[in-house]
Amino acid sequence: MKYSDFSVEQLEQRLGVLQDNYARIKDAGLNLDITRGKPSAEQLDLSNGIDGILEGFFLLQDGTDVRNYGGILGIPEARQLGADILSLQPSEVLVGGNSSLSLMYNMIAHMIGAWEEESRQSNSKVKFLCLVPGFDRHFTICEHFDIEMINVGFLTDGPDLDTIEVMLERDPMIKGIWCVPKYSNPTGHTYNTAAVKRFAQLGKIAGPNFRIMWDDAYTVHHLTDTPDELHNLMQEARAAGTQDSVVMFASTSKVTFAGAGIAFLGTSMDNLKAFEKFLSAQVIGFDKVNQLRHVRFLKDTSNLAAHMEKHRHLLGPKFDLVQTKLEANLGKRGIAKWTKPRGGYFVSLDTMPGIANEVVRLAADAGVKLTPAGATYPYGLDSDNKNIRIAPTFASLDKLGQALDVFVVCLELAAINKLLST
Amino acid sequence: MKYSDFSVEQLEQRLGVLQDNYARIKDAGLNLDITRGKPSAEQLDLSNGIDGILEGFFLLQDGTDVRNYGGILGIPEARQLGADILSLQPSEVLVGGNSSLSLMYNMIAHMIGAWEEESRQSNSKVKFLCLVPGFDRHFTICEHFDIEMINVGFLTDGPDLDTIEVMLERDPMIKGIWCVPKYSNPTGHTYNTAAVKRFAQLGKIAGPNFRIMWDDAYTVHHLTDTPDELHNLMQEARAAGTQDSVVMFASTSKVTFAGAGIAFLGTSMDNLKAFEKFLSAQVIGFDKVNQLRHVRFLKDTSNLAAHMEKHRHLLGPKFDLVQTKLEANLGKRGIAKWTKPRGGYFVSLDTMPGIANEVVRLAADAGVKLTPAGATYPYGLDSDNKNIRIAPTFASLDKLGQALDVFVVCLELAAINKLLST
């Protein structure tokens, strides 16, 4: 039965039980953290073989010594791997250091001059569309560069492209859009083929300096036997002549080592040439030794897929546990909805409006750290105060279970308090 | 006898000999390169043990798993190593990725907003002092951010501090100065204690947003038994209350792997806090696995010194060969002066005025690549057209000898042509 159908008396009775539970939990002095999408130690162990894999061989097929300076675009073997992952040509791929975020940041830094020039001429701020809920670190980059962010929501099957198209037609100072097109952070959406095709047309509406920041962070991070397929945006864009509007990103942060992987940027060859020139003022080349380690370790996409299966075996039970715990405790209460992701790193949960903050506060007081409510929205502002991102990957199964037990009590408590106060 | 004391007849006779030599050299179809300060393969081999050194142990003393995300300032063990190298407190040190250049670039990017605000208010451009000849990549960063560069020369024993002080007093929009204080690129200067003490006072003249970019790239790169000592700028600056004006840099690029080392930035704790915040928009953390590899491999400053001795044994004969060849062929001709560095990666040679360009062109035509004349000056402009940077480290002793034989012929040729034409 839904809590909204409870009588006041029933709610008060339930509240009493929950308050007792909550007091007991607080006494237990827990210290749990399900805030960030970090791989667990067991997942990291899967890649321990990467250190030392070179066995003293540092030369590439073309004779390049990866230990020495140079080569901003990355070693050919790693560009090929990135191309295979992103379904691009190697000539469209740059391989960076350990951070795709840094490549995104630099792409914005590279474009901001042209955008600000347009801004001065039109006397209108540079703006970005942000699909919400989304990835906080994307939004932080916009804040850093003083780019105004405009929220766009998801429909059941993906981004609200009608709204996106209308907005781009209305405001030529919208210069980009942040996307996580596959197993989206945090909603789990994979954009369907029709949506991808419409994305390829956006550059025609928005003009030459518009950039789709296509952060394909979870492209090989499946949680099912039947992986989602993401249609090839660049292929569509090439056909539409909008390839300059496409900038793709991926990394091995959740494939090998989260802090010591390699990152990929894919875009048109013209864009890449200009971006390489931009980067040349700040770096002579990224870490080619680590690029070679990754190529030797991951080999090719089929070996990569086998490697990701091992991750899935570790992650599957955790995501299952989230579903079990949420369903058992909240399934019939009508106070929350959540996603059942087919890949990626998160479960996105919407509480009844107006209580996400309170749930996070209650959990924190009981020793369970959750991602701050609002973090999945630009400027940290979730106007409905309802979205909570659950990151089940890092904690052990045991601790995850404990954290979820606390979480559901906090959620029920906040919901009943809200229902009783209105 | 100096060429300037030759008669026209003697010069013409010598020119004939040189032209024959040059023609023979061209026929040999050489392909040699002494342009950049890259370590040789033998030097890189000294550090091959770094790959695989972790042997599956990825945990720090404080329990941090270096494989996972986080920690922009770097691992404590690496901050300690950087502090020992730069004579700082670990709390003043950030350990970055494989590029100190990238840290320098980001420090300028971090400051540029405040500088540009002052620029708007004073209606005067942001400016930097550049000691010349100097490192071209420093100057490129200034060009990238549209910072006007002003040349300052060296006196016999180091930077011309009288001029620096006067300039800072006159123009409050001079916001920084590039320095390579030890075994300077390319001149080989090590700033003496009196100079370092005066540097520590510059922040008092120039105001709170002034930054000394103290690129201590060659601090452990000695070529003699009696290493130069660089006085501790930060200690002086702390005493003077100017510690915010000091930003130091170092890296292991020419200690371990040139493309896969770790970089250090040292500054006041207040600066470091602000810089960390600035970086947090673009990176979650640098490669801590590689930081740990370096700590395990280099251990401490005494082990580092022993490691650098091995580099010296490889480099010493190359630097000796440069002196021998230059002295034998040019020693008495009065057409060039050059440095005899006690450390670092370069020999700086000044031709008679007006011919450096021509020497580089002649060498290129004969298959020997030299650093472009002017590269050691802001905007590539050496108004005397005389400085040539020789980088003897990368080539084998044999090829270096061949390249120098060509170089001296080209220099003599250009000089005699010049003398005959004036």
Side-chain angles (χ1 to χ4, degrees):
Chain A
M1 192 162 115
K2 290 185 180 176
Y3 280 142
S4 57
D5 297 333
F6 274 36
S7 66
V8 169
E9 204 169 42
Q10 285 173 309
L11 285 175
E12 281 172 346
Q13 196 188 350
R14 180 68 188 150
L15 185 64
V17 174
L18 288 166
Q19 281 168 336
D20 287 351
N21 286 352
Y22 185 72
R24 258 200 308 280
I25 289 165
K26 269 184 107 164
D27 288 345
L30 296 172
N31 183 14
L32 304 166
D33 189 332
I34 51 173
T35 53
R36 295 224 70 101
K38 291 164 75 168
S40 66
E42 292 71 27
Q43 287 179 269
L44 297 167
D45 283 344
L46 297 174
S47 302
N48 282 357
I50 206 166
D51 184 55
I53 198 169
L54 299 182
E55 297 183 323
F57 294 96
F58 297 100
L59 293 185
L60 302 184
Q61 286 188 344
D62 67 6
T64 302
D65 187 332
V66 293
R67 300 170 301 179
N68 223 322
Y69 285 117
I72 289 184
L73 294 174
I75 66 173
E77 291 85 341
R79 296 178 76 189
Q80 180 67 57
L81 180 66
D84 292 343
I85 291 172
L86 288 168
S87 300
L88 295 172
Q89 297 300 314
S91 55
E92 294 167 323
V93 174
L94 173 147
V95 190
N98 74 327
S99 170
S100 60
L101 189 75
S102 165
L103 295 177
M104 295 175 211
Y105 175 95
N106 273 298
M107 179 52 74
I108 302 290
H110 166 49
M111 295 302 298
I112 195 75
W115 293 340
E116 283 180 347
E117 183 56 37
E118 283 189 56
S119 169
R120 274 186 292 273
Q121 283 169 17
S122 66
N123 203 21
S124 166
K125 280 201 78 169
V126 180
K127 304 178 195 79
F128 250 64
L129 298 178
C130 298
L131 287 158
V132 292
F135 181 34
D136 55 349
R137 290 189 185 270
H138 290 164
F139 308 150
T140 303
I141 292 176
C142 278
E143 281 201 75
H144 180 94
F145 287 103
D146 197 24
I147 295 171
E148 186 179 319
M149 292 177 274
I150 303 170
N151 294 0
V152 179
F154 286 95
L155 306 177
T156 326
D157 61 342
D160 180 357
L161 273 149
D162 289 343
T163 299
I164 291 170
E165 287 162 358
V166 168
M167 284 179 150
L168 289 179
E169 268 156 22
R170 281 191 197 155
D171 188 347
M173 282 314 297
I174 298 175
K175 292 302 173 192
I177 181 167
W178 287 110
C179 304
V180 183
K182 194 167 177 183
Y183 308 136
S184 188
N185 173 359
T187 64
H189 285 100
T190 297
Y191 301 179
N192 64 30
T193 299
V196 172
K197 287 183 174 176
R198 287 173 75 178
F199 267 98
Q201 302 296 320
L202 296 183
K204 289 186 181 171
I205 308 174
N209 285 337
F210 177 75
R211 294 293 178 269
I212 301 168
M213 302 290 281
W214 197 253
D215 183 3
D216 206 2
Y218 305 104
T219 193
V220 294
H221 305 64
H222 315 295
L223 290 167
T224 76
D225 282 328
T226 52
D228 288 359
E229 293 272 1
L230 179 67
H231 190 65
N232 188 333
L233 173 63
M234 185 54 100
Q235 188 181 307
E236 295 289 339
R238 281 193 218 104
T242 57
Q243 63 273 21
D244 288 349
S245 70
V246 176
V247 194
M248 298 178 161
F249 302 92
S251 80
T252 68
S253 294
K254 289 165 189 113
V255 174
T256 58
F257 294 160
I262 58 174
F264 307 101
L265 177 147
T267 189
S268 71
M269 286 177 65
D270 284 348
N271 275 357
L272 197 57
K273 204 172 161 184
F275 187 59
E276 181 185 13
K277 187 158 178 253
F278 174 82
L279 285 181
S280 69
Q282 62 181 284
V283 70
I284 300 172
F286 296 102
D287 184 339
K288 298 189 298 298
V289 173
N290 208 33
Q291 291 179 7
L292 186 59
R293 282 190 196 103
H294 276 76
V295 168
R296 295 260 172 90
F297 183 72
L298 296 174
K299 295 186 184 83
D300 52 35
T301 46
S302 117
N303 191 65
L304 171 60
H307 181 74
M308 295 312 293
E309 270 299 289
K310 297 179 198 164
H311 280 285
R312 184 185 151 206
H313 286 301
L314 294 168
L315 290 177
K318 295 183 182 178
F319 279 86
D320 289 346
L321 184 65
V322 175
Q323 297 300 324
T324 310
K325 291 273 185 189
L326 295 182
E327 186 56 39
N329 293 280
L330 306 172
K332 292 171 183 165
R333 299 311 191 186
I335 55 172
K337 301 181 294 189
W338 57 90
T339 57
K340 188 173 179 183
R342 299 171 41 79
Y345 260 56
F346 302 102
V347 173
S348 178
L349 181 141
D350 282 341
T351 66
M352 56 187 285
I355 64 166
N357 258 337
E358 176 64 4
V359 175
V360 172
R361 189 193 65 78
L362 286 168
D365 286 353
V368 175
K369 257 200 207 159
L370 295 168
T371 309
T376 53
Y377 284 77
Y379 312 108
L381 293 174
D382 170 7
S383 57
D384 290 336
N385 187 14
K386 70 177 183 184
N387 187 253
I388 294 175
R389 186 183 78 170
I390 299 171
T393 58
F394 183 71
S396 67
L397 208 54
D398 184 44
K399 294 205 161 170
L400 176 63
Q402 288 178 50
L404 289 164
D405 287 340
V406 175
F407 174 69
V408 294
V409 168
C410 296
L411 206 165
E412 286 186 80
L413 210 46
I416 291 180
N417 275 324
K418 177 83 175 175
L419 288 167
L420 283 171
S421 75
T422 50
Chain B
M1 191 163 116
K2 289 185 182 178
Y3 280 141
S4 57
D5 298 332
F6 274 37
S7 66
V8 170
E9 203 170 41
Q10 284 173 310
L11 284 174
E12 280 171 348
Q13 193 188 351
R14 179 69 188 150
L15 184 65
V17 175
L18 289 165
Q19 280 169 337
D20 287 350
N21 286 353
Y22 186 70
R24 259 199 309 280
I25 290 165
K26 269 183 109 165
D27 288 344
L30 296 172
N31 183 12
L32 303 167
D33 188 332
I34 51 173
T35 54
R36 293 224 71 100
K38 292 165 73 170
S40 66
E42 292 70 29
Q43 287 179 268
L44 297 167
D45 284 344
L46 297 174
S47 301
N48 282 357
I50 206 167
D51 185 54
I53 197 168
L54 299 181
E55 296 183 323
F57 294 96
F58 298 100
L59 294 184
L60 302 184
Q61 286 188 344
D62 68 6
T64 301
D65 187 332
V66 293
R67 301 170 300 180
N68 224 321
Y69 285 117
I72 290 184
L73 294 174
I75 66 173
E77 291 85 341
R79 295 178 77 190
Q80 179 68 58
L81 180 66
D84 292 342
I85 291 171
L86 288 167
S87 300
L88 295 172
Q89 297 300 314
S91 56
E92 294 167 323
V93 174
L94 173 146
V95 190
N98 73 328
S99 169
S100 59
L101 189 75
S102 165
L103 295 176
M104 294 173 212
Y105 175 95
N106 273 298
M107 179 52 74
I108 302 290
H110 166 50
M111 295 302 298
I112 194 77
W115 293 340
E116 284 180 346
E117 183 57 36
E118 282 188 57
S119 168
R120 274 187 291 274
Q121 284 170 17
S122 66
N123 202 22
S124 166
K125 280 201 78 170
V126 180
K127 303 177 196 77
F128 250 65
L129 298 179
C130 299
L131 287 158
V132 291
F135 181 33
D136 55 349
R137 290 189 186 271
H138 290 164
F139 307 150
T140 303
I141 291 176
C142 278
E143 279 202 75
H144 180 94
F145 286 103
D146 196 23
I147 295 171
E148 185 179 320
M149 291 177 274
I150 302 170
N151 294 1
V152 179
F154 287 95
L155 307 177
T156 325
D157 61 342
D160 179 358
L161 273 148
D162 289 344
T163 300
I164 291 171
E165 288 163 358
V166 168
M167 283 178 149
L168 289 179
E169 268 157 21
R170 281 191 198 155
D171 188 346
M173 281 314 297
I174 297 174
K175 291 302 174 192
I177 180 167
W178 287 111
C179 305
V180 183
K182 195 167 174 184
Y183 307 135
S184 188
N185 173 357
T187 63
H189 285 100
T190 297
Y191 300 0
N192 64 31
T193 300
V196 172
K197 286 183 174 175
R198 286 173 77 178
F199 267 98
Q201 302 296 321
L202 296 183
K204 289 186 179 171
I205 307 174
N209 286 337
F210 177 75
R211 294 293 178 270
I212 301 168
M213 302 290 280
W214 197 253
D215 183 3
D216 206 3
Y218 305 103
T219 193
V220 294
H221 305 64
H222 315 296
L223 288 168
T224 74
D225 281 328
T226 52
D228 288 359
E229 292 273 0
L230 180 66
H231 191 65
N232 188 332
L233 172 64
M234 184 56 99
Q235 188 181 307
E236 295 290 338
R238 282 192 216 104
T242 56
Q243 64 272 21
D244 289 349
S245 70
V246 176
V247 194
M248 296 178 162
F249 302 91
S251 80
T252 68
S253 294
K254 289 166 189 109
V255 174
T256 59
F257 293 160
I262 59 175
F264 307 100
L265 177 147
T267 188
S268 72
M269 286 179 64
D270 284 347
N271 275 359
L272 198 58
K273 203 171 162 185
F275 186 59
E276 181 185 13
K277 187 161 179 251
F278 173 82
L279 285 181
S280 70
Q282 62 182 285
V283 69
I284 300 172
F286 296 101
D287 184 339
K288 298 189 297 297
V289 174
N290 208 34
Q291 291 179 8
L292 186 58
R293 281 190 197 104
H294 276 77
V295 169
R296 296 261 172 88
F297 183 73
L298 296 174
K299 295 185 184 82
D300 52 36
T301 45
S302 115
N303 191 65
L304 171 60
H307 181 74
M308 294 313 293
E309 269 298 289
K310 297 179 197 163
H311 281 284
R312 185 187 150 205
H313 284 302
L314 294 168
L315 290 177
K318 295 184 181 177
F319 280 86
D320 289 345
L321 184 64
V322 175
Q323 297 300 325
T324 310
K325 292 271 185 189
L326 295 182
E327 187 57 38
N329 292 280
L330 306 173
K332 292 170 184 166
R333 299 311 191 186
I335 55 171
K337 301 181 295 186
W338 57 91
T339 58
K340 188 173 180 183
R342 298 171 41 80
Y345 260 56
F346 302 102
V347 173
S348 179
L349 181 142
D350 283 341
T351 66
M352 56 188 282
I355 64 165
N357 258 337
E358 176 65 4
V359 175
V360 172
R361 189 192 66 76
L362 286 168
D365 286 352
V368 175
K369 258 199 207 159
L370 295 168
T371 309
T376 54
Y377 284 76
Y379 312 107
L381 293 175
D382 170 7
S383 57
D384 290 335
N385 187 17
K386 69 176 185 184
N387 188 251
I388 294 176
R389 187 182 79 170
I390 299 171
T393 58
F394 183 71
S396 66
L397 206 55
D398 183 43
K399 294 206 161 169
L400 176 63
Q402 288 178 49
L404 289 165
D405 287 340
V406 175
F407 174 70
V408 294
V409 168
C410 296
L411 207 165
E412 286 186 80
L413 210 46
I416 291 181
N417 274 323
K418 179 81 175 176
L419 288 168
L420 283 171
S421 74
T422 50

